[in-house]
Amino acid sequence: VVGMLSGYSYGTSLTGNPTVNSGPSFVNYLNCTGTGGKTITVQGSGVSSGPLTTGAITDTATGTDTVSQLSANTTSEIASAGVSGILSLTGIHVTASASVTGGVFQDSGGLTISGLTVLGLPVPLPATVPANFSVPLLGGTLILNRQVKSANGIVVNGAYLTLPSVGTVTIGWASAGAK
């Protein structure tokens, strides 16, 4: 083992709801020694928990831990998702990557999203959704491509919704770390 890798991905979570909570769905953990460069996939048919519903979910993890390459990559892809009458989307794909090359750490995160509507209205998005892109929402917060970075890693939430009547919903989570 040359270094340590970390990361995991999952489809959705719902916390802080007055009547129902849903833990991370279809979690895929990256082993700290990697996957030997192979992609490990966890799939599920979807989620239906209170106000949150989704289509098929696919989460991946790939890691390489060699003298020449130390890298962690995770993804989460959700076919469709909705939060009853508040938010809907036809597809979302979230990525997180972390690597160390020549002693230099690098990380990146990304989001591809389609068919986003909020309160029934289509939301126009730039071709590349920048990190921590906020969508106006009365009484709550919706952040797309929410990225939280640390010294050795990154966490990316595709859609991160906080609304008192619903709780906190994450649609598409990917994290990666390398040191």
Side-chain angles (χ1 to χ4, degrees), residues 27-50:
V27 180
N28 192 354
Y29 293 99
L30 176 63
N31 188 308
C32 64
T33 58
T35 63
K38 296 178 183 173
T39 300
I40 307 301
T41 302
V42 172
Q43 294 179 305
S45 59
V47 170
S48 180
S49 181

